[in-house]
Amino acid sequence: VADWADAALREQARFFDDNTQVAWEPAVGGANVVELNKVLKPFDVALGGGAWEGALPQAFGAGSRFESGSVIARAPVGSYVVKTRLEKRVSLKRGGTVKVEAPQAVLAAVSSDKGRAVVFGDTGCLDDWKRTGRACWELLEASVAFAVSGVRSPAIFPDGARLQEPLVIGEVPLDTPPSPLLKKYSRHYDASPPYVADP
């Protein structure tokens, strides 16, 4: 499960704290998609950048919404990829979205010799399931069933969602060196144990 990742929006999230008299800026915005993509690499799946929002298919649960997540930019042949129409957030201000005509990939289920993985680009729907009356509950149940036992729900992962050719949509965030701010607050980039260098 991921979340949004957009350097331009992260810049807009800067604010001046009157109490500390310090200008604050986030080290990452939403999710560290670059690192998530490293975890997903053995499955040939990658998340794209941006912040996307919109309604999800009814099969995911009544009232399910994609609330500022990352779309799926890469997926292999044979995986199940669910797409829907979304809007892209270009500003943190009210009404700061633009409509995109092409459906965007929001969910992928992959089964390979490396194992099984289900990738969903937004935590918001799953975080709010109790408050919103079980929105995304069906998505959660189907995802766990697929990842754990390989059981595919035709309602969530329909036959028509199976890829006949690789999915390649948009850009994948580049693996650039972490910002000094992220290095300052994340022990992941520390060379000392228990953290190890990337293989």
Side-chain angles (χ1 to χ4, degrees):
V1 178
D3 217 321
W4 68 277
D6 188 304
L9 291 179
R10 189 179 73 230
E11 292 287 323
Q12 293 178 33
R14 273 191 230 174
F15 69 96
F16 183 77
D17 186 340
D18 291 335
N19 295 321
T20 63
Q21 298 295 303
V22 174
W24 292 88
E25 69 177 87
V28 293
N32 191 339
V33 168
V34 170
E35 294 302 318
L36 288 172
N37 283 342
K38 288 179 184 178
V39 173
L40 296 171
K41 189 174 183 172
F43 299 99
D44 295 324
V45 176
L47 293 155
W52 298 80
E53 54 190 69
L56 290 168
Q58 277 295 115
F60 286 19
S64 299
R65 290 194 51 81
F66 201 78
E67 301 284 351
S68 75
S70 290
V71 293
I72 297 162
R74 306 286 184 272
V77 171
S79 59
Y80 292 87
V81 174
V82 178
K83 297 179 182 179
T84 191
R85 283 202 160 82
L86 299 173
E87 293 182 354
K88 185 171 184 178
R89 180 150 293 282
V90 293
S91 169
L92 294 178
K93 295 178 181 174
R94 187 179 192 142
T97 60
V98 293
K99 291 187 179 187
V100 176
E101 288 301 314
Q104 302 297 313
V106 295
L107 176 68
V110 180
S111 183
S112 71
D113 58 343
K114 307 275 193 241
R116 288 183 293 271
V118 177
V119 182
F120 183 59
D122 181 41
T123 60
C125 187
L126 299 173
D127 291 341
D128 289 346
W129 74 269
K130 193 169 184 180
R131 183 180 59 79
T132 58
R134 297 173 60 95
C136 283
W137 184 253
E138 288 83 357
L139 167 63
L140 179 61
E141 285 186 318
S143 297
V144 170
F146 183 88
V148 171
S149 59
V151 175
R152 179 179 63 90
S153 164
I156 302 296
F157 306 108
D159 292 335
R162 186 167 181 154
L163 294 180
Q164 303 302 318
E165 56 187 55
L167 175 76
V168 179
I169 298 177
E171 299 290 323
V172 173
L174 298 174
D175 185 8
T176 57
S179 71
L181 187 63
L182 183 57
K183 283 180 123 176
K184 178 179 177 182
Y185 293 109
S186 175
R187 291 187 303 153
H188 171 75
Y189 299 103
D190 185 359
S192 61
Y195 299 94
V196 295
D198 292 326

